[in-house]
Amino acid sequence: MPAESPVPFTVTLHVRDHCLCLHMQRAARTLARLFDEALRPLGLTNQQFSLLMSLNRPEPPSIAPVASLLGMDRTTLTAALKPLERRGLVNVAPGKKDRRSRLLAITPEGIALLAEAVPIWRRTHDAVDARLADPEPERLRQTLRAMS
């Protein structure tokens, strides 16, 4: 017979039912799978879509602001850029003022793929919004942004 645990099973059940981190992780994984499936016909993951979208701006950004926006560290962002760069969707070039810095630019092919992806993202996003219990999904988005 196993020894009695110093953490009773009732605590396990309480954590299962109340842990915000657990429920946020589960919801994030569920959403990620949903968007991954929707974007799969374009050969994109939800992370790649977000990365391409973060580069869709008038001037190529450096790595630091993109990493901050996406909540990634620079090393993870650099790794995430590699497959997009191989596909010709992103260019990584030395900075104009500081050659040690790297500027990230979405290519015309990346823009074209993003244009195909946006309607898929919108349909999927609208379906998720419709499933939310809160009649004001913007309140949830504001709360999530405030936490990050």
Side-chain angles (χ1 to χ4, degrees):
M1 180 168 219
E4 190 169 316
S5 171
V7 181
F9 185 60
T10 56
V11 172
T12 300
L13 296 176
H14 179 80
V15 170
R16 178 199 68 191
D17 295 340
H18 295 90
C19 181
L20 293 174
C21 189
L22 170 65
H23 293 288
M24 291 294 288
Q25 288 170 337
R26 289 182 65 182
R29 285 197 279 287
T30 299
L31 281 173
R33 281 192 301 271
L34 184 67
F35 280 90
D36 282 347
E37 184 62 33
L39 294 166
R40 183 171 288 125
L42 300 180
L44 284 177
T45 65
N46 75 87
Q47 181 188 46
Q48 291 170 330
F49 173 82
S50 294
L51 179 47
L52 287 173
M53 190 59 74
S54 75
L55 300 179
N56 186 37
R57 44 176 97 186
E59 295 296 322
S62 63
I63 288 179
V66 175
S68 176
L69 173 69
L70 297 174
M72 297 177 154
D73 61 53
R74 294 165 60 111
T75 304
T76 303
L77 175 56
T78 299
L81 285 165
K82 298 277 188 222
L84 298 176
E85 199 174 9
R86 281 193 297 272
R87 285 180 65 183
L89 304 174
V90 171
N91 282 329
V92 179
K96 292 177 175 94
K97 293 178 185 171
D98 181 355
R99 305 289 293 162
R100 295 170 298 170
S101 71
R102 296 284 173 251
L103 297 179
L104 312 176
I106 189 168
T107 65
E109 294 81 6
I111 293 287
L113 186 60
L114 205 52
E116 285 185 70
V118 167
I120 294 168
W121 176 87
R122 281 198 174 124
R123 283 192 304 274
T124 307
H125 201 273
D126 289 347
V128 169
D129 270 352
R131 289 174 52 193
L132 292 175
D134 189 335
E136 296 181 42
E138 187 54 34
R139 183 171 42 204
L140 173 60
R141 281 187 271 285
Q142 288 172 351
T143 301
L144 292 173
R145 279 192 297 268
M147 292 177 66
S148 59

